[in-house]
Amino acid sequence: MSFNIQKKKIGINICWSYALILLLFMARVQAAPMEAVNNARLDVTPKRCIALHKGQTCYLEVTFSWQTPKIDDYCLVNTTTSRVITCWQQEKKGQFGFDFQSTISNDFVVRSQKSGKIHAMAQIPVAWVYKSSKRAKSTWRLF
């Protein structure tokens, strides 16, 4: 009987080990900067915006840094709002400071002005400390 219990404990430990390895792998893949096939990069710092409550606007001063292997006319575009943030003429790298304000995560790309080709992507995820600003109401009271 004790042999079966030990086998079950070992099986559970192995399952938890696999789950932990999978979570660590997923976190590593998600943390890697998104790079296009042509080795262009778009990095954003800080990496995420944190609001106090879910649904509140998150405010953050971010810096975008980008680099491509070829000189061209490029634009930084917020694809979530379809808004062009800024453009550069005949450059292959650049930097731009931006006051980010949003209630949701936003995706950004470096896009060629002439061809519209996307060369690099980055995301500013919006997170929150508390899920809701409303307190849970008790269904009964003592007094």
Side-chain angles (χ1 to χ4, degrees), residues 13 21 34 42-43 60 85 90 96 101 113 124 126 134 137:
N13 286 339
I21 290 169
M34 292 183 223
L42 175 60
D43 296 313
L60 187 67
I85 306 299
Q90 294 302 301
F96 184 72
Q101 299 177 20
Q113 268 186 302
I124 300 176
V126 173
K134 297 179 181 178
K137 294 183 179 178

Side-chain angles (χ1 to χ4, degrees), residues 44 59 87 90:
V44 60
Y59 301 93
C87 294
Q90 294 302 301

